[in-house]
Amino acid sequence: MRETWLDLERLAQTESVFALANGHLGLRANLDEGEPFGQPGTYLAGFYETRPLPYAEPGYGDPEDGQTVVNVTNGKIIRLAVEDEPFDVRYGELRRHERVLDLRAGVLRRTAEWVSPTGRLVRVSSTRLVSFTQRSIAAICYEVEPLEEEVLVVLQSELVTNETLPITEPDPRAAAALASPLASDLFTGEELGAMLIHTTMGSGLTVAAAMDHRVDGPPDTQTAIRSEGDLARLTITATAAPGRPLRVTKFVGYSWSGERTVPALRDQVDAALAGAVQTGWEGLLQQQRAFLDTFWKDADIEIDGDAELQQAVRFALFHTVQAGARGEQRLIPAKGLTGPGYDGHTFWDTEAFVLPLLLLTYSRRQAVADALRWRHSTLELARERARSLGLRGAAFPWRTIHGEECSGYWPAGGAAFHINAAIADAVERYLLLTQDETFAREAGVELLVETARLWRSLGNHDAVGRFRIDGVTGPDEYSAVADNNVYTNLMAARNLRAAADAIERHPELARPLGVDEEEATSWRTAAEAIFIPYDASLGVHPQAEGFTEHQEWDFDSTPPENYPLLRHYPYFDLYRKQVVKQADLVMALFYVGEYFTPEQKARDFAFYERLTVRDSSLSAPIQAAVAAEVGHIELAYDYFAEAALLDLDDLNHNTRDGVHIASLAAACTAAITGFGGLRDLGGKLSFVPRLPQALTRLALNLRARETIRLRIEVEQTQATYTLLMGEQLEIYHHGEPITVTAGRPVQCPIPPAPALEPPTQPRGRAPQHRRAHEATRH
Ligand code: BGC
């Protein structure tokens, strides 16, 4: 991914797009010299500060404190002075500036040629990585070379804590808590290395950041180190000349803890740094490459016919693995570790969108187990939350960093109970695929049981025996607190069944988890009796009871600049009309597809197309998958393109706050489930592959089961299935059962798509029509 000129207007966006992370540590692509910046950012998964959550009218059970990701000590900074003039792209003359995010090497490269205000021409090159193999480590190789004459250069390689951030927090109390969140515990500096340790005032978390260097410069090179509370600096001076550059390799290490003492963290980060220095820059590069070689071999999605989307999909896969690879029992936030958006919180995005993709493609299953184990580690808080709501089992938070509910707006947050079913569903998928018994015993079954208990207590059997779940919010945030949301009810029923099945498989866990036969039976009874409303007069499913009777939103009088609607209309009005922010009933068609007939899917999809405005980035990829399934393959292509290009084209104008990890992951899933047509039917894989006209080939490698890998290559008129691992696999191709055996690829013809009336979207909200040959921008 190449940027050939530095556009200061888009600096914040590119800082997100070019961000490097490994799931534990994330660095925004801030310029080496620190300024100008859009938003400085260095993040550690799970490291947060508490902040007040102000309410005009507090209610019982409202969360009292919020949590916000902290921009920790910045170890990226290497400032340069050329004969006294600071290298700053806003001054002097920038002759050339290029940044490349190398998805294969896992590095960000930058080259700049700059003439200082006094006329000295220098070339600055830097390569930065956040190590996938040594998760606390980032490293930078920085080189400056004068291009015309000998020049005195000074480098200042720094650790900076409590950087001044652009003010985005409207509430002054919260802004104050976050203005300078880190208090100094310890600073050291010796030879070429330094360390700063700080603790947050509210959450009491301690972070240690340390740096060490290798310097390779002209004979007169000198160094000096200093360190104080919020600043450590290694100064390197040298007379460089053409052919005689000054090169510095900077190793940066981070560790943090809420439990460990300052000396323990000091030693931990020292050890991590020593390991990285021992591996060396070249060694880190090699490890990074080897890690990514394995990743791409397993996960790559090949697309022929649309080079821009090919690149976008690889970019999306890269950010997904950056968000999830080394989280190691911490959360995966909605923006990964690429920006402060959504306060660094995790939502259902992780379990419903990110983990399913990682499961399909990524061979390190541990990453998924770890993310779910993080949820499990917050179970006690979720139980407390359920109790405070008068419910049983566990109520996981709609948004959080540490595990406590942080949503200050209950109709969209606290009432969005469907997150619990998404967690249970991810557990089920993981178990089905891996048969990981240790995980099942230690975390999986308990997660299923506690979420099932929640549903059982949240719903009730009505006078005619139907199991109803009233007064909850589904995925569509332009409706709230509705009765019997179809997606929620179907997912809850699945959750209830999964818990009962899990206890049957693991009778030894029944007693420790306190489940008796009566309780397990009550889950099955509720699941069987789940109420799914249907509007017989329209022949469609209302997304929640009564929805289709509401007045329709007046789309024709809604000007384009009034989207997203939530910024221009009161929730009061959105909630009582038929207008859909994001796939909701269409989520049900996708996730719980077995419940619907093909005819129902087609009718429901068309019905909701008319009402869906896609004010959430989580909508388009799901619409893509279902559009492809019901036969609108060109529309699927348009939605797929929108999802895949969301951050590269900054379609929602908020990529500056971080990339949309769930939407990027779901774009990849849309390629797999839409054009590859993959569905998992009761343990059997089914494919309904079909390509839009512009694409000539799509190739996917899928982890079908733990020991089975399947490659599928789709062309316009045929699909080829090849077993990459395993002996034999039974699958369906367009409804026909076929058997794929090792060493014998099977070719199957693709039937022509049915001719269907194209659905319509609200005025001005149709996705942009994709013309692949025009797209050569990135
Ligand atoms: C969406 C939610 C999503 C959240 C974080 C909201 O705009 O409506 O479904 O979980 O963003 O991505």
Side-chain angles (χ1 to χ4, degrees), residues 630-681:
V630 301
H632 302 295
I633 197 75
E634 299 304 325
L635 179 62
Y637 185 43
D638 297 343
Y639 280 137
F640 167 63
E642 179 177 304
L645 294 171
L646 178 78
D647 287 312
L648 291 172
D649 285 353
D650 197 11
L651 297 177
N652 282 10
H653 312 292
N654 59 5
T655 297
R656 61 178 184 270
D657 301 329
V659 299
H660 301 73
I661 297 294
S663 161
L664 292 172
C668 302
T669 309
I672 298 171
T673 57
F675 308 136
L678 166 71
R679 293 291 182 278
D680 205 333
L681 298 178

Side-chain angles (χ1 to χ4, degrees), residues 2 185 222-223 231 293 461 527 680 697 727:
R2 188 181 300 269
D185 295 315
Q222 291 190 13
T223 62
L231 171 73
D293 280 349
H461 289 280
D680 205 333
R697 193 180 68 101
E727 287 305 307

